[in-house]
Amino acid sequence: MINFNKPYFSGKELEYIQQAIANGHISGNGDFTQRCHRYFEEKYGFSKVLLTTSCTDALEMAAMLLDIKPGDEVIIPSFTFVSTALAFVRQGAEIVFADSRSDHPGIDEDKIEQLITPKTKAIVVVHYSGVSCDMDKIMNLSKKHNLMVVEDAACAINSFYKEKPLGSIGHLGCFSFHETKNIQCGEGGMLAINDSQFVKRAEIIWEKGTNRAEFFRGEVNKYGWVDIGSSFLLSEIQAAFLFAQLENNDKIQKRRIEIWNKYYEALKPFDGKFFRLPVIPDFASNNAHSFYLIMNSQNERDTFIKEMKINNAQAVFHYQSLHKSQFYISRYNGCDLPFSDKYSDCLVRLPFYFEMKEKAVIEKVKYYFSSLEI
Ligand SMILES: Cc1ncc(COP(=O)(O)O)c(C=O)c1O
């Protein structure tokens, strides 16, 4: 079976984990954490980042930092992973779900303004499959209505909007290093703090509501409980693993782009017949996080997944509209979100990982669609 995902290993992970053990510091915020922080700040120009145990945690930190309270409204696309909304629901927010674009699964930027009310506190955008939303439009809305913007950049490391790194444009950016992501450490994440007003408090929330980070820098002579927070730090064992991946960031990226382009070229002749190929808007770059097709119907999508499985390749669907989830449907009183539903029903992702033999998958996919043409 050709699996949908297989995590990439650079070969240096164990050596660096051994170094972390030898350093005698395997909890969070040690040498490898600092090296990862420096890497992100130098390579992408983030002014402040904090490694977290997941993107879910980074989103939870964002919701705490924005002081989201019961009664606040937060605009979020319905076509996303549960964590995007859950982090804000935990603070008591009302989620106002927005639809996706017709040409791309990202949030429809032109339909956000009509959702803004006096209670709206923030807009959370998701860069689907690492492809940017139109951030100029989003940031203009933020300025006009005095709203905070969180970028859920879970899949968007190494991707750009008009040459600006994703996750660096909104007030806060949240990344995932889960094993399905381009750069991974099993479970992991990062919060990018782009608005300096949040930096001090972010460190406190990160360190269980204490000012321990200041203490370790020698800025205060004892530390204690000063605010809300939780245990959001990534351990040094995972930071060491992550650093081994970061050293190979460019190599990983090059290979993923190669796979993506091969899929795209090989499947172009079928575009518009049985499916639509992914669209990369002019303002966005492509970090080749995944390769997906948008089929004509749910039935056709599910049949394709079944046939690929029989043919020993794992194709998978993706997010399911959150406004229709078991958890939210009874609370939802907004309008229909037809594009979110369309991507829930019709989008399918093909196997995608560094070591894969893409030629074998391409042959299977072409074989399937050629047989439909007869
Ligand atoms: C858009 C989005 N946000 C958040 C997450 C959660 O990431 P993590 O597993 O690192 O918590 C995911 C997971 O894939 C995701 O796709």
Side-chain angles (χ1 to χ4, degrees), residues 53-57 59 80-81 83-84 126 152 154-155 175-178 180-181 187-189 318-319:
T53 56
S54 62
C55 183
T56 304
D57 267 6
L59 286 158
T80 182
F81 192 66
S83 307
T84 320
V126 177
D152 182 339
C155 310
F175 293 90
S176 174
F177 303 122
H178 181 266
T180 49
K181 304 301 184 283
E187 301 273 359
H318 208 186
Y319 311 133

Side-chain angles (χ1 to χ4, degrees), residues 150-166:
V150 179
E151 293 177 74
D152 182 339
C155 310
I157 195 66
N158 228 345
S159 203
F160 300 82
Y161 172 76
K162 298 183 180 172
E163 297 177 7
K164 286 189 209 142
L166 297 188

Side-chain angles (χ1 to χ4, degrees), residues 60 63-65 67-71 86-93 228:
E60 285 176 10
M64 289 182 189
L65 277 168
D67 228 356
I68 300 295
K69 292 196 174 62
L86 184 58
F88 295 87
V89 165
R90 294 181 78 228
Q91 295 288 117
I228 56 162

Side-chain angles (χ1 to χ4, degrees), residues 18-36:
Q18 270 168 348
Q19 270 185 37
I21 294 169
N23 287 347
H25 180 153
I26 53 171
S27 60
N29 203 8
D31 183 49
F32 278 104
T33 298
Q34 296 305 331
R35 284 159 84 173
C36 291

Side-chain angles (χ1 to χ4, degrees), residues 307-327:
E307 290 297 320
M308 287 295 282
K309 192 170 172 199
I310 292 168
N311 234 331
N312 290 318
Q314 193 183 23
V316 296
F317 59 90
H318 208 186
Y319 311 133
Q320 299 297 292
S321 288
L322 293 181
H323 69 290
K324 289 191 169 168
S325 62
Q326 188 188 326
F327 181 74

Side-chain angles (χ1 to χ4, degrees), residues 331-373:
R331 301 161 67 166
Y332 187 66
N333 55 12
C335 57
D336 285 347
L337 305 174
F339 290 109
S340 175
D341 292 343
K342 165 99 183 161
Y343 297 118
S344 304
D345 293 344
C346 303
L347 189 146
V348 60
R349 295 174 295 159
L350 302 180
F352 206 107
Y353 54 91
F354 189 96
E355 288 166 40
M356 71 179 289
K357 308 264 182 286
E358 62 273 16
K359 197 158 165 256
V361 184
I362 286 169
E363 272 167 21
K364 289 173 200 284
V365 177
K366 281 172 74 173
Y367 175 79
Y368 177 80
F369 288 112
S370 301
S371 72
L372 296 184
E373 279 184 322

